[in-house]
Amino acid sequence: MQNICLLYSGRRGLDDPATRISVLRIPEVSRKLKEAQRLVDEIIGTSLKIDLYSYVQSSDSEFNSNASLKALVAATVQVGLFDRFVKYRSRPKFLVGPINGNSAMAVCAGMQEFRNFIENSDFCKENTLMARYTQQGTKLTGVKLEEYGALMWNPEGFYQNLEVEKKEATKIVEELSLNNLLTQCVHLGPTYDFRQEEFANVGLDGLASMSSIEMDPILNSFWKSAI
């Protein structure tokens, strides 16, 4: 197994409106959003109707107006992108991603069932019938800082937690690069540009780095023209 790190984008992965529309064309993302839609409808009921597809395609002001829904959708898209990535490649040795809030990495690593991931999202907990009845829903006081962690593929065939000193994505990649002879970092989703700036700031601009979408020959054929 190559020493490749798959880096999750967290909440920022869908900040660009053209990107949001383009990811809907990826079959694995589309399927995962449909699964999420079914679960959200089941969990929060029909009194609050949310169309995830329409939300993904909404304007910046609308998309950014609901922090908990944005986090849930961004993480769901990353689960779909992971499904796409491992469909044609072996699993990467390292995963680096958010460990608090909606953790797409935990789902992809088999540490959390997708249904449980949806049920325990801030959005669903805020918008169940009981939460709305007791007026406890939709009361986010601010956006939580994302804390990142790392997982490593065990020779026995599963991911396990890897102890790291820092909680920032770039610092963890830097630590892996120094201690584990990391050969490449693959950015899960359309986050390559802002991550490269962060990498340059900590001296990681020499690490081989690619976007999971752009390294996919089928997706790459439409992606650059789409955005």
Side-chain angles (χ1 to χ4, degrees):
M1 176 179 288
Q2 292 180 311
N3 287 5
I4 293 176
C5 167
L6 194 63
L7 177 58
Y8 289 75
S9 57
R11 288 188 296 259
R12 296 177 62 183
L14 297 177
D15 281 353
D16 179 68
T19 292
R20 293 199 295 272
I21 294 173
S22 295
V23 294
L24 295 178
R25 297 177 60 185
I26 301 173
E28 290 78 9
V29 170
S30 180
R31 283 195 290 270
K32 195 55 66 176
L33 280 171
K34 288 178 181 177
E35 183 180 354
Q37 180 74 66
R38 177 180 60 79
L39 291 170
V40 167
D41 290 344
E42 179 183 332
I43 293 164
I44 69 175
T46 57
S47 58
L48 179 64
K49 184 62 178 176
I50 297 294
D51 186 328
L52 298 184
Y53 263 71
S54 296
Y55 175 70
V56 171
Q57 299 176 80
S58 64
S59 65
D60 282 345
S61 59
E62 182 178 351
F63 186 74
N64 292 313
S65 66
N66 191 323
S68 60
L69 183 56
K70 175 182 177 179
L72 174 61
V73 166
T76 298
V77 167
Q78 288 161 53
V79 173
L81 289 172
F82 179 85
D83 290 346
R84 175 77 187 187
F85 184 83
V86 298
K87 187 175 182 179
Y88 301 106
R89 298 170 180 83
S90 60
R91 291 176 180 269
K93 185 173 183 178
F94 301 103
L95 302 180
V96 175
I99 55 175
N100 60 337
N102 296 106
S103 177
M105 182 175 72
V107 177
C108 298
M111 295 178 169
Q112 185 179 28
E113 294 291 333
F114 189 68
R115 180 186 179 86
N116 182 263
F117 160 82
I118 298 293
E119 285 179 331
N120 286 282
S121 67
D122 285 339
F123 177 76
C124 283
K125 287 192 290 187
E126 293 163 2
N127 289 287
T128 61
L129 182 60
M130 180 60 70
R132 295 199 300 275
Y133 178 75
T134 57
Q135 298 183 341
Q136 293 176 354
T138 57
K139 289 186 178 180
L140 283 181
T141 57
V143 177
K144 302 173 185 175
L145 288 176
E146 285 185 307
E147 293 185 359
Y148 278 70
L151 304 175
M152 182 173 68
W153 185 255
N154 186 294
E156 296 180 9
F158 59 90
Y159 282 108
Q160 62 183 31
N161 289 310
L162 183 67
E163 291 295 327
V164 289
E165 293 184 6
K166 305 293 185 180
K167 298 299 183 182
E168 298 87 7
T170 51
K171 293 294 185 180
I172 293 174
V173 174
E174 181 181 29
E175 185 177 337
L176 292 177
S177 180
L178 292 173
N179 298 336
N180 294 283
L181 301 177
L182 193 64
T183 55
Q184 185 181 28
C185 180
V186 176
H187 304 265
L188 190 67
T191 61
Y192 181 76
D193 291 336
F194 80 73
R195 286 295 190 203
Q196 283 300 96
E197 292 179 11
E198 293 177 352
F199 278 18
N201 290 336
V202 296
L204 278 172
D205 43 325
L207 177 66
S209 186
M210 290 188 69
S211 161
S212 67
I213 292 176
E214 294 181 355
M215 68 189 296
D216 187 312
I218 297 176
L219 299 184
N220 190 42
S221 64
F222 78 82
W223 186 259
K224 290 183 178 179
S225 60
I227 62 174

